């Protein structure tokens, strides 16, 4: 048995194929590339029971990951995050089977660790010595830290408005960090120039093919944690869309292996009302999105005005009879507080948006009574202390406690 069943990469737009043993970025037509595996061969040797006794991290699925030699794995223990019942908040929505896949406890504090672990490991395998990327914060933090562990030099450009903690994570990793007085799209242009000037490896979202493979493992884990019975609905906070593209790819691969049925969950792309290009495209039944001008939201990780993989996100929604929905900041921040109060989970604003979306979709009848629903919390609330305003009494020593 081989460690990985990777065979090649292909372009979902023009179908051109590429080798996996050389550095690849975009297809020559400008599209992101997707990774292919020999599923027919793998099917002969690999069953759910093959996973018994393996480590509780995302590398337990190494046959479906692109790293060929286990010595190249760069890990901080990422993956196999909890799938938690959310009965109390679910009851306030009329959803009896509401679950949260909680990425808040993963290394670096956000699910970007998955993409970074697999992306950096593959970069190491291919001999990359220096990478560059633009980021809204969490991806830069994760890639800077995993790159440090791999001994790869990282250059990161992020908006000055990005969560301060992600700036600190990059800085302490020793990365070359630049801030930009602008949006992630401005950071992207600066990185593209640096890539041209210095011949760096471009680790921008979807400009390298392996980040999707890391994020795909969320889909593999959800299926395994539900004992290979998929839920009815999965809600995902969508910025660049890598996670939803990855989850869709994972489910299709599992269906092809025969581990789950062909009826996939309905995938929901949740965006912020202040930055909802995918929602607009979906409402107009388009196959790609347009740049969203003057985007703004407290859910910084999903402030992406135009995603390179928008057509893949929309395909995942259409193919699964899913939908796309926008949530305003006031609603998602209220949901974040309600979840902490009712469930004891301090989740990130992006994750909170998926719960607001579930609430709306149950109200409208799109989610039906009795359906099993999974909301993805993509990061820890602890990374966003500014989303909570604290006004409490301060006592002098010896004073009596004030109780409300
Ligand atoms: C990056 C990010 C997202 C969006 O992820 P994509 O895969 O780019 O759509 C959602 N939530 C958080 C916390 C993020 O950091
Ligand atoms: Zn192409």
């Amino acid at each position: 048995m081989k460690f990985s069943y990777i065979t090649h990469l292909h372009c979902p737009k023009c179908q051109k194929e590429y080798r996996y043993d050389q550095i690849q970025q975009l297809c020559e037509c400008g599209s992101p590339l997707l990774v292919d595996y020999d599923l027919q061969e793998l099917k002969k040797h690999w069953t759910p029971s093959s996973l018994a006794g393996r480590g509780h991290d995302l590398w337990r699925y190494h046959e479906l990951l692109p790293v060929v030699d286990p010595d190249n794995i760069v890990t901080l223990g990422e993956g196999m995050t909890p799938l938690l019942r959310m009965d109390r908040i679910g009851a306030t929505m009329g959803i009896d089977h509401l679950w949260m896949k909680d990425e808040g406890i993963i290394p670096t504090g956000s699910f970007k660790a998955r993409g970074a672990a697999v992306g950096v490991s593959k970069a190491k395998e291919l001999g990359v010595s220096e990478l560059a990327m633009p980021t809204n914060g969490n991806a830069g933090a994760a890639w800077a830290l995993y790159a440090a562990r791999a001994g790869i030099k990282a250059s990161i450009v992020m908006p000055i408005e990005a969560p301060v903690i992600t700036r600190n994570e990059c800085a302490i990793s020793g990365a070359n960090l630049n801030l930009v007085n602008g949006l992630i799209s401005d950071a992207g242009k600066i990185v593209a120039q640096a890539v041209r000037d210095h011949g760096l490896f471009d680790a921008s979202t979807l400009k390298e093919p392996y980040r999707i493979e890391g994020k795909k493992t969320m889909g593999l884990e959800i299926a395994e944690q539900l004992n290979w019975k998929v839920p009815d609905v999965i809600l995902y906070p969508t910025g660049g869309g890598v996670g939803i593209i990855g989850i869709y790819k994972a489910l299709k691969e599992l269906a092809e292996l025969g581990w789950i049925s062909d009826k996939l969950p309905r995938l929901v792309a949740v965006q912020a009302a202040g930055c909802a290009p995918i929602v607009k495209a979906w409402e107009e039944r388009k196959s790609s999105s347009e740049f969203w001008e003057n985007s703004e939201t407290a859910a910084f990780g999903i402030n992406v005005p135009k995603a390179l993989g928008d057509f893949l996100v929309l395909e995942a929604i259409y193919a699964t009879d899913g939908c796309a929905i926008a949530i305003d900041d006031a609603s998602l921040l209220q949901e974040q507080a309600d979840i902490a109060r009712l469930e004891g989970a301090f989740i990130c604003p992006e994750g909170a948006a998926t719960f607001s979306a579930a609430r709306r979709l149950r109200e409208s009848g799109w989610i039906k009574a009795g359906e099993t629903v999974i909301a993805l919390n993509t990061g820890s609330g602890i990374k966003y202390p500014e989303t909570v305003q604290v006004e409490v009494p301060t006592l002098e020593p010896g004073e009596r406690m004030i109780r409300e």
Side-chain angles (χ1 to χ4, degrees):
M1 281 206 59
K2 287 183 291 186
F3 190 71
S4 167
Y5 280 73
I6 186 171
T7 53
H8 61 282
L9 313 178
H10 84 272
C11 170
K13 274 207 171 133
C14 74
Q15 311 308 325
K16 191 170 157 59
E17 296 191 353
Y18 291 85
R19 297 171 60 126
Y20 69 82
D21 55 357
Q22 296 167 351
I23 292 174
Q24 307 290 359
Q25 304 253 230
L26 293 173
C27 178
E28 57 188 29
C29 80
S31 165
L33 297 173
L34 297 177
V35 181
D36 288 294
Y37 299 86
D38 188 351
L39 297 176
Q40 291 317 311
E41 185 59 29
L42 180 55
K43 203 176 173 171
K44 293 183 202 154
H45 317 283
W46 208 43
T47 64
S49 61
S50 316
L51 301 175
R54 290 194 180 179
H56 275 262
D57 57 36
L58 60 78
W59 299 101
R60 67 197 271 106
Y61 310 110
H62 58 78
E63 285 90 343
L64 276 183
L65 292 172
V67 176
V68 174
D69 179 350
D71 286 346
N72 291 320
I73 288 176
V74 181
T75 181
L76 291 164
E78 59 288 330
M80 257 313 161
T81 54
L83 185 64
L84 302 170
R85 293 198 65 106
M86 300 295 270
D87 291 344
R88 294 187 74 204
I89 194 83
T92 70
M93 303 177 188
I95 300 179
D96 294 338
H97 306 286
L98 180 64
W99 299 76
M100 171 168 72
K101 176 73 172 159
D102 190 9
E103 299 286 297
I105 61 161
I106 206 164
T108 78
S110 89
F111 78 128
K112 293 294 194 302
R114 293 181 189 264
V118 174
V120 167
S121 297
K122 191 67 189 175
K124 183 180 169 200
E125 186 157 84
L126 293 168
V128 169
S129 59
E130 194 170 348
L131 61 82
M133 68 188 302
T135 177
N136 267 339
N138 285 331
W143 280 72
L145 288 159
Y146 279 88
R149 189 163 173 84
I152 293 175
K153 237 179 117 179
S155 285
I156 312 286
V157 185
M158 72 167 69
I160 199 154
E161 302 272 316
V164 176
I165 185 70
T166 62
R167 193 190 288 183
N168 298 358
E169 289 176 278
C170 291
I172 201 160
S173 77
N176 169 42
L177 174 66
N178 286 203
L179 303 179
V180 59
N181 207 350
L183 295 176
I184 187 167
S185 39
D186 301 302
K189 285 176 197 144
I190 293 168
V191 166
Q193 186 61 46
V195 164
R196 282 195 296 275
D197 290 348
H198 309 293
L200 306 179
F201 178 67
D202 191 343
S204 306
T205 306
L206 296 180
K207 288 193 184 170
E208 66 78 49
Y210 301 106
R211 197 198 285 205
I212 295 179
E213 298 305 298
K215 290 200 178 178
K216 174 177 95 173
T217 56
M218 290 186 290
L220 302 176
E221 287 176 19
I222 288 170
E224 183 174 4
Q225 287 171 317
L226 293 177
N227 207 13
W228 312 109
K229 281 186 201 62
V230 293
D232 297 295
V233 175
I234 299 177
L235 301 115
Y236 179 79
T238 306
V242 185
I244 194 168
I245 297 167
I247 290 171
Y248 177 57
K249 187 171 188 285
L251 295 170
K252 280 199 305 183
E253 288 171 355
L254 288 177
E256 204 167 324
L257 288 171
W259 290 22
I260 61 170
S261 88
D262 291 337
K263 189 164 177 330
L264 301 187
R266 311 200 298 284
L267 300 180
V268 179
V270 180
Q271 297 204 293
C275 183
I278 300 286
V279 178
K280 181 164 184 287
W282 178 76
E283 283 170 353
E284 296 168 355
R285 292 295 179 270
K286 297 220 172 96
S287 56
S288 64
S289 66
E290 282 158 34
F291 190 91
W292 189 275
E293 299 291 344
N294 305 316
S295 62
E296 204 183 346
T297 169
F300 216 78
I302 53 175
N303 190 343
V304 181
K306 165 78 187 169
L308 196 55
D310 56 357
F311 69 103
L312 295 170
V313 175
L314 287 157
E315 185 197 317
I317 299 171
Y318 294 131
T320 60
D321 290 322
C323 70
I325 179 169
I327 304 296
D328 61 83
D329 278 12
S331 302
L332 65 88
L333 292 173
Q334 182 62 50
E335 201 75 45
Q336 184 194 31
D338 290 345
I339 289 166
R341 195 168 44 80
L342 289 174
E343 299 284 3
F346 184 10
I347 71 173
C348 66
E350 296 86 348
T354 64
F355 285 88
S356 285
R359 186 180 296 284
R360 297 277 168 82
L361 292 171
R362 180 67 191 102
E363 265 163 25
S364 73
W366 193 88
I367 292 176
K368 292 173 218 53
E371 288 194 315
T372 299
V373 177
I374 294 185
L376 251 150
N377 175 42
T378 41
S380 169
I382 293 171
K383 296 192 85 172
Y384 303 74
E386 67 289 349
T387 55
V388 188
Q389 259 71 51
V390 182
E391 279 166 41
V392 293
T394 304
L395 307 177
E396 295 306 322
E399 277 188 314
R400 285 211 158 81
M401 185 178 70
I402 297 166
R403 280 181 79 234
E404 281 179 1

